Amino acid sequence: MDTGVQPRYKLEVLVSDPQKRSNESGSPYVSYQISTRTDNPQYHGSQKANFDDIIVVHRRYNDVVLLHDILLNDHPTCIIPPLPDKKVLQYIAGDRFGRRFTERRCHSLQNFLRRVSLHPVLSESKVLEMFLVSNEWETYKKNLSGTLQNVQKEDVTDAVMNAFKKVHNQNDEFVEIKDKTDKLDHSVHKINKVFHRVVKKNENIVEDYSKLGLSLQELQELVCNDNDKLADELKMFVEGITQLSYGLQDLNKFIDYEYLVDLKDLEHYIDSMKQTIKLKDQKQIDYEELSDYLTKSVKEKNNLISGYGGGNFLTSKIEELAGYNQEASRREKINKLESTISSLTNELEIARKVADSFEQETLKEVKQFEQIKNDEMRDSLNNLADQHIKFYEKMLETWVQVDESLK
C-alpha cells in the first residue's frame, strides 16, 4: 500500500495529569500537562537537539481549540484532526471537572496532538511549536484575539451554496474513497455501540459480584465461631470474588476511558476527511459551473452572429415597431459576450488549476489519513488485547490460589 510522507523529525507528545485550577478572576478550569520529546532543533533553541530531553508546558482546552483553528485556517487542504466535542452531556450538566470527563478528554486531546505530530506538514507548523514549547503562549493568544472570528466564512458560504450540488465528472479514485470511507464509518459506529453495551453490562456484573462478596463475607462472619475451616475457605473465596470485581472494574475503566474514546475520535477523524473531500468537491463544482457558463455564453454569441439569438419573436416585433435599432443592439450584445467569454476563459483556467491542485493535495491527505488511521487502530486494538490478557492472567493466578487453598 502507498503510504503517506513521513515527518522529517521525530515528535512525541504526551497529554496527562488533568488538574482543576482557577484563573485570575477565580473562574475554574482544567489544565493539562503536555510533555514533548523531539529531535527538531527549533524546539530546543540554542541547546543541542536531544530527543531524550522532555519539554513540559501546561495548557487548557481552549488553548488546544485555538491551535486547531489556526491549523484549520493556515492549512485548508490538510485533514485537520478533530477536537473532542465541548457540547457533551457532562459538560452541559456541569460535571466537566469530574474524573471520568477529564480523563476521557485528556485521552482525546492526546489523540489530537498525536495525529498532528504524525502529519508531515502540520508537525512543522510554527504555531504547534509555539503551543508545545513557548512560555509566551498567553501573550501570543492575546495578539491573535479576534483575528480568527472571520476565518473560513468564504468556505462556509461555498459549502451552503453547493450543499445540494454534486460533481458531474467525479474521479473514479474518489468514488472508491468515499465508498470505503462510508463503510468504515458505519463499521466503527457499530463497534462503538457494541462496546457501549459491553461497558454497561460489565458495570452490572461488577455490581453483582460486589453484592455476592458482601453476602459471602456476612456468611463467613456467621460461621467463624462454629467452623473455622469453612470460615477460612469462605474468606479465600471472598478474596477471589473481590479480585475478580476489581479486575473487571479496571478493564471496564480502560474500555470506557480509552477504547471508546478512540472509537469516537476515529468517527470524528473520518468526518474531518469527508469535509476535506467536500471542500475539494466545491472547487470542482466551481470549475464545472464556470465551464457551463462559458459554454452557454459561447453558444449565445454564436446564435447572435448567425441571427438566431437576441430575444423572442414578440420582443423583436415590439422593438421593431418602436423604431429600435436591432442590429446595433445585436452587435452590442455580441461585444459584451466576447468580453464575458474572454474573462470567463481566464477564470476557468484559474479554477481548473485550483481544482486540480485541491484534488492532488486531497489524494495526498487521504493517504496520510490511511496511514495514521491504520497505525491508530492497530495500537488501539493491541492495547485492548493487552488489557484483556492482563485481566485474565491476574484472574488465573487468583483463582489458582483459591483452588489450592480449598483442597
Side-chain angles (χ1 to χ4, degrees), residues 24 63 66 136-147:
E24 295 176 355
D63 296 327
L66 179 61
E136 304 297 326
W137 175 253
E138 292 301 320
T139 304
Y140 181 75
K141 281 201 308 182
K142 290 177 182 178
N143 292 336
L144 283 174
S145 177
T147 60

Side-chain angles (χ1 to χ4, degrees), residues 40-250:
N40 186 340
Q42 296 294 328
Y43 279 62
H44 297 275
S46 59
Q47 299 180 354
K48 184 178 179 181
N50 187 344
F51 184 73
D52 292 329
D53 291 341
I54 300 176
I55 305 166
V56 178
V57 295
H58 291 87
R59 301 285 185 251
R60 54 189 297 183
Y61 177 76
N62 287 342
D63 296 327
V64 191
V65 172
L66 179 61
L67 169 65
H68 173 273
D69 290 347
I70 295 173
L71 292 175
L72 197 63
N73 182 53
D74 292 349
H75 305 280
T77 61
C78 292
I79 299 175
I80 308 299
L83 286 172
D85 192 0
K86 199 169 187 176
K87 297 176 182 178
V88 294
L89 180 61
Q90 292 93 334
Y91 193 94
I92 296 172
D95 193 28
R96 60 194 177 105
F97 301 112
R99 181 181 177 187
R100 180 175 182 269
F101 178 82
T102 56
E103 290 287 348
R104 285 167 61 90
R105 171 167 282 184
C106 182
H107 187 70
S108 193
L109 294 176
Q110 168 76 51
N111 287 340
F112 166 74
L113 288 172
R114 183 177 62 248
R115 288 166 178 168
V116 172
S117 71
L118 292 173
H119 194 286
V121 176
L122 302 180
S123 63
E124 294 193 31
S125 63
K126 196 65 183 176
V127 65
L128 178 65
E129 177 190 337
M130 180 74 68
F131 175 85
L132 293 176
V133 175
S134 178
N135 293 322
E136 304 297 326
W137 175 253
E138 292 301 320
T139 304
Y140 181 75
K141 281 201 308 182
K142 290 177 182 178
N143 292 336
L144 283 174
S145 177
T147 60
L148 292 176
Q149 291 179 0
N150 297 320
V151 165
Q152 297 183 328
K153 278 192 175 180
E154 182 179 339
D155 290 338
V156 171
T157 303
D158 288 343
V160 173
M161 293 284 288
N162 296 328
F164 302 102
K165 299 176 183 177
K166 291 185 178 180
V167 175
H168 296 305
N169 300 310
Q170 185 67 275
N171 186 325
D172 289 340
E173 195 167 358
F174 279 102
V175 173
E176 182 181 352
I177 288 170
K178 288 181 178 181
D179 184 54
K180 288 176 60 178
T181 302
D182 288 340
K183 289 179 180 177
L184 175 64
D185 197 13
H186 179 69
S187 298
V188 173
H189 183 69
K190 285 180 65 177
I191 294 171
N192 195 5
K193 290 177 66 176
V194 168
F195 272 91
H196 267 95
R197 291 198 294 268
V198 168
V199 167
K200 186 64 179 175
K201 182 178 179 181
N202 284 347
E203 287 176 352
N204 293 333
I205 293 173
V206 167
E207 185 178 353
D208 289 343
Y209 276 131
S210 297
K211 290 178 180 178
L212 175 61
L214 288 173
S215 298
L216 290 174
Q217 192 170 3
E218 291 174 358
L219 179 60
Q220 175 203 341
E221 292 172 357
L222 286 173
V223 302
C224 64
N225 295 325
D226 300 327
N227 192 329
D228 291 341
K229 182 181 179 183
L230 179 58
D232 291 340
E233 290 176 347
L234 281 171
K235 181 179 179 182
M236 287 299 301
F237 195 79
V238 168
E239 288 179 1
I241 293 293
T242 302
Q243 289 298 319
L244 177 57
S245 178
Y246 288 160
L248 189 57
Q249 196 170 8
D250 289 342

